[in-house]
Amino acid sequence: MESPGPRARCPVQQQRARWERKRACTARELLETERRYQEQLGLVATYFLGILKAKGTLRPPERQTLFGPWELIYDASQELLPYLEGGYWGQGLEGFCRHLELYTQFAANAERSRTTLQEQLKKNKRFRRCVQLQEGRPEFEGLQLQDLLPLPLQRLQQYENLVVALAENTGPNSPDYQQLTRAARLISDTAQRVHTIGQKQKNDQHLQRVQALLSGRWAKGLTSGRWFLRQGWLLVVPPTGEPRPRMFFLFSDVLVMAKPRPPLHLLKSGTFACRALYPMAQCQLHKVFGHSGGPCGGLLSQGLHPGPL
C-alpha cells in the first residue's frame, strides 16, 4: 500500500486551516476598515466640528445636537486601532466595548441631528457657507455632511459582522477566544438596540406624516402609541351605487378608512377625512371572490361595523 502524501491532511486539520484563513482575512478587513473609519471621523472632527467651534458659527447646544458624542467616538477608535495593529484583537475589542453606549446615544440623537442640520442649512447663512466650503475639500471626495453624519451607525453594523465572524473563526483554545466571544455578544446586543431605536424613529416619522394628513372626529391623537404598517387605496362597495375609492391606513391595532378632501378645498386640499376605525382585534375579513394576486385584486367583506376605539 502507498502511504499518504506528505501534504495530505485529516479533515480536522483542514477545517482548522479554513478557520485560520477566514480569521486572518476578517482580521485584515477589520484593521483596514478601522483605519479608514478613524480617518473619516478625524476629518469631520477637524474640518466641521473643530472649525464650527472655533468660529462660533453654531451655539454649543446646536453643535452638540448636530454631532452628538462624535469626539468621544473618535477617541474610542483611536484607542482601539493600536491594539488591532498589534494583533491584540481580543484585548482591544474587549476594551472597546466599554464605549458601546456612545453608539446607543448617537442613534438616539440621530433624528434630532438630521432635523438640526436641515434647519441650520436653511436659516443660518454662515453655517451654510461654512459647510459648503468644507464639503469642497478633496479629502471628503465629494461627500456632503449629511452623508458623513451616519458613519458611526454604519460602522457599528460593520463591527457586528466582522467581530462575530472573527469570534466564530477563532478556536476555543485560542488565548483571546473568550474575549472575542464576549465582544461579539456585546456588539451584537448594541447593534440590536440601535436597530430598535432606528425603527422607532422611522415609525414616529410615519405617524407624524399620517397625522398631518388626517382630520375628522376620530383623527385627533389617532396615531399616538401605534406602529404604522402601510397605506393604500381600496374601493369600498356600498349596498347600492358605485364603488368609491377610499384611502386606508393600517396600524398595528387599527385599520382607518379615510375619504379624500376635494382638490379645491380652501384649507385642507390633499388631506383625508377620517370616516371609520376598525379595531383589528375585533375585525374579521372574509374573501368574497377574486384573489390578491389577480390584476384586479379581490373583494373582502368586513364583518364588524366601525366605531370609536
Side-chain angles (χ1 to χ4, degrees), residues 176-205:
D176 59 356
Y177 174 77
Q178 294 295 337
Q179 292 172 317
L180 288 174
T181 301
R182 284 193 297 268
R185 176 177 54 79
L186 291 172
I187 291 173
S188 294
D189 290 346
T190 302
Q192 181 57 51
R193 285 196 296 273
V194 165
H195 176 73
T196 301
I197 291 171
Q199 291 297 102
K200 186 178 185 306
Q201 290 175 345
K202 289 180 181 178
N203 183 64
D204 289 344
Q205 292 175 3

Side-chain angles (χ1 to χ4, degrees), residues 98-118:
R98 296 195 301 267
H99 306 293
L100 286 174
E101 181 59 28
L102 296 173
Y103 286 83
T104 305
Q105 296 171 11
F106 192 89
N109 183 63
E111 182 57 33
R112 293 178 61 212
S113 174
R114 283 191 291 267
T115 302
T116 300
L117 178 61
Q118 293 169 0

Side-chain angles (χ1 to χ4, degrees), residues 151-168:
L151 277 175
L153 300 183
Q154 295 167 1
R155 182 57 177 167
L156 180 63
Q157 186 61 59
Q158 291 179 328
Y159 280 140
E160 181 183 22
N161 295 337
L162 292 170
V163 176
V164 168
L166 193 62
E168 288 177 345

Side-chain angles (χ1 to χ4, degrees), residues 27-167:
R28 183 169 58 252
E29 183 178 356
L30 179 58
L31 174 58
E32 292 173 354
T33 53
E34 186 65 23
R35 284 172 174 160
R36 176 57 179 160
Y37 174 53
Q38 186 179 121
E39 178 187 3
Q40 292 177 310
L41 289 175
L43 289 173
V44 172
T46 300
Y47 293 115
F48 285 104
L49 226 168
I51 289 179
L52 290 171
K53 185 186 298 185
K55 291 187 174 183
T57 308
L58 288 180
R59 295 179 303 168
E62 294 165 342
R63 193 172 63 245
Q64 178 61 33
T65 301
L66 179 58
F67 293 100
W70 189 281
E71 291 174 304
L72 295 176
I73 289 174
Y74 180 34
D75 291 342
S77 176
Q78 289 181 305
E79 181 181 315
L80 171 63
L81 186 57
Y83 285 98
L84 302 185
E85 291 175 330
Y88 302 109
W89 310 99
Q91 185 179 354
L93 289 166
E94 189 174 49
F96 171 76
C97 288
R98 296 195 301 267
H99 306 293
L100 286 174
E101 181 59 28
L102 296 173
Y103 286 83
T104 305
Q105 296 171 11
F106 192 89
N109 183 63
E111 182 57 33
R112 293 178 61 212
S113 174
R114 283 191 291 267
T115 302
T116 300
L117 178 61
Q118 293 169 0
E119 290 176 349
Q120 292 300 318
L121 287 174
K122 184 177 181 180
K123 71 180 185 180
N124 189 331
K125 185 176 180 180
R126 288 182 62 206
F127 174 76
R128 183 168 62 250
R129 177 61 177 162
C130 180
V131 167
Q132 289 172 346
L133 285 174
Q134 305 314 315
E135 289 175 343
R137 290 180 176 272
E139 295 93 332
F140 291 110
E141 301 175 348
L143 293 175
Q144 297 181 327
L145 181 56
Q146 64 181 2
D147 305 317
L148 296 165
L149 286 177
L151 277 175
L153 300 183
Q154 295 167 1
R155 182 57 177 167
L156 180 63
Q157 186 61 59
Q158 291 179 328
Y159 280 140
E160 181 183 22
N161 295 337
L162 292 170
V163 176
V164 168
L166 193 62

Side-chain angles (χ1 to χ4, degrees), residues 211-249:
Q211 188 68 69
L213 288 175
L214 292 174
S215 61
R217 64 191 181 99
W218 288 327
K220 186 176 181 181
L222 173 65
T223 60
S224 178
R226 292 192 162 94
W227 283 89
F228 172 81
L229 301 179
R230 64 186 306 172
Q231 70 184 69
W233 291 96
L234 293 173
L235 289 176
V236 174
V237 182
T240 59
E242 295 296 318
R244 307 186 188 101
R246 293 291 183 263
M247 176 62 77
F248 282 81
F249 299 90

Side-chain angles (χ1 to χ4, degrees), residues 261-306:
R261 297 282 187 181
L264 299 180
H265 195 288
L266 291 178
L267 300 177
K268 297 182 178 180
S269 174
T271 64
F272 299 87
C274 184
R275 285 290 181 260
L277 300 176
Y278 301 98
M280 298 303 293
Q282 303 174 37
C283 279
Q284 293 182 345
L285 296 177
H286 306 283
K287 185 178 290 187
V288 179
F289 69 81
H291 57 87
S292 59
C296 299
L299 177 65
L300 298 176
S301 171
Q302 191 279 128
L304 183 71
H305 291 292

